[in-house]
Amino acid sequence: MSDRESHNECTTRLIDLANQLKNEGHSQQLVSAALMAASGIYATYISAGNDGGLQPSGVDKVVMMYRRNLEYIQERKKAERAALEEAGES
């Protein structure tokens, strides 16, 4: 399995878990906040281990990674929407 395929599988599994939590009655806002918290905790763990914490420059790097990822996701969503609209006009 390629890195991209592994990434997509992990992403899908996390979204499935988020939807499961929502379906169990947790609000979407709570689930989203929990996913962000878990991601932040895991990013800190990967960078600094269980006993460490990020320096301000490390926090800035993680924030920039999140920003770039969100920008990429929004670009893809816009492109997908445009492709669907174009296909509908044909």
Side-chain angles (χ1 to χ4, degrees):
M1 182 180 298
S2 72
D3 284 347
R4 181 178 295 272
E5 290 169 331
S6 292
H7 177 272
N8 289 344
E9 178 186 350
C10 289
T11 300
T12 298
R13 289 177 64 185
L14 288 167
I15 291 170
D16 289 345
L17 177 58
N19 285 327
Q20 179 183 340
L21 291 166
K22 177 190 64 91
N23 292 340
E24 291 172 1
H26 299 286
S27 74
Q28 290 176 318
Q29 292 79 9
L30 178 84
V31 173
S32 179
L35 282 170
M36 288 182 66
S39 179
I41 291 166
Y42 203 75
T44 300
Y45 164 72
I46 293 300
S47 298
N50 274 334
D51 298 326
L54 298 175
Q55 297 297 320
S57 63
V59 171
D60 290 342
K61 287 179 185 177
V62 172
V63 168
M64 184 55 68
M65 288 181 0
Y66 279 109
R67 180 179 184 84
R68 288 180 183 154
N69 191 43
L70 282 172
E71 289 170 346
Y72 174 74
I73 290 166
Q74 299 316 305
E75 289 172 17
R76 292 223 15 221
K77 289 183 104 20
K78 288 176 188 176
E80 289 171 6
R81 184 175 33 235
L84 286 173
E85 289 173 0
E86 186 176 307
E89 294 177 2
S90 301

